Amino acid sequence: MLYIAGWGRSGTTILDNILGSYGPVFTTGELFYLWRRGLNQGRICGCGTGLRLCRTWRDILDVAYAGRTLRPKRTAALQRRVARVRDTCRLSRAELTGEQLDYRDEMYRLYAAIHTVTGADLIVDSSKVPSGAAVLAQMPEVESYLVHMVRDPRAVAYSWMRPKDLPDVAVARTMAEHGAAESSTNWLTWNLLIESLARGRFAGRAQRIRYEDFVAAPRDMVESLLGLVGLAAEPGPFEGDASVRLNINHTVSGNPSRFRTGPVTLRADNAWQAHQPWRPRAVSTAISLPLLHRYGYTPRR
């Protein structure tokens, strides 16, 4: 298992889509939201079919819940009680008990079913949520790895303040928006929690990738990740150092760009540098200052 963690709008979706375009890899997208969004809200699978109608996910759920009743509302409620972001440290440091153990077992059965149905050598979960990575690390039956995805917090804040349509819902909607203060506070909190997991439960099995480095040399970054988990980089979807052909995927949730397939050329999205107003940029810089230099960013543009 390879878990991609990081605050949203940091490039996790395109990394996930590229990895999923390798033959022996199956990507789930943001599996953390399978019950809440995929099954309860009726979101669309990355293949374009309703998640409940997708043959791949029907087979996975049949295996995972063989002899048991699928109750997505109940599982979503359990997840909200024990696997919130603020539960990350508790989930990673202590021996799990009660409902925490129930949730871990639920996730393990799902991961095992995905492996049984797809036969993949590597399963990628791009849920991003730190608590999800903490739960995965509590599964001794799974060989787990962590990718810590980071992007300049000013760019992230600018992205969260722009509306983005959700094409996988029945009624026209846009993704939730976050102001500069909220986005940067989450950026700081999530990255600190992910760092703790990388040093602890995932020690020796974690890699940090900056968005800026990734889009500058995507092929090198992806091949480095495949080397971390022991997979061959060839044959793969790259048609050049920055050009890739994306396959259809079966992601359950994520950024709308998960539906993009075919040839794609990666380029850095630096619109924020020219268009972000000074006030949200100053707010974002001030809040994220404790980690800016650690990740190679400077307070000045």
Side-chain angles (χ1 to χ4, degrees), residues 99-181:
E99 288 191 323
Q100 295 174 336
L101 200 56
D102 293 340
Y103 179 68
R104 189 210 64 175
D105 292 345
E106 190 93 3
M107 288 302 302
Y108 174 70
R109 282 191 291 266
L110 187 58
Y111 285 143
I114 292 170
H115 174 66
T116 298
V117 172
T118 66
D121 294 331
L122 174 68
I123 299 169
V124 180
D125 181 349
S126 61
S127 292
K128 299 196 292 287
V129 186
S131 56
V135 171
L136 173 61
Q138 292 276 17
M139 301 178 189
E141 311 90 339
V142 179
E143 184 180 348
S144 55
Y145 297 84
L146 178 70
V147 178
H148 180 190
M149 198 80 178
V150 178
R151 186 183 182 187
D152 191 306
R154 282 81 50 107
V156 172
Y158 177 73
S159 180
W160 275 117
M161 293 175 70
R162 291 185 295 171
K164 182 170 288 194
D165 293 334
L166 279 173
D168 57 340
V169 293
V171 180
R173 284 177 51 194
T174 58
M175 295 183 70
E177 297 176 31
H178 299 283

Side-chain angles (χ1 to χ4, degrees), residues 26-44:
F26 180 84
T27 175
T28 68
E30 296 178 5
L31 194 63
F32 189 84
Y33 300 104
L34 169 67
W35 297 279
R36 192 187 317 172
R37 297 176 183 171
L39 298 176
N40 287 339
Q41 297 179 6
R43 296 289 184 92
I44 298 173

Side-chain angles (χ1 to χ4, degrees), residues 10-25:
S10 296
T12 57
T13 299
I14 184 60
L15 173 61
D16 186 34
N17 286 356
I18 292 174
L19 288 169
S21 296
Y22 282 85
V25 181

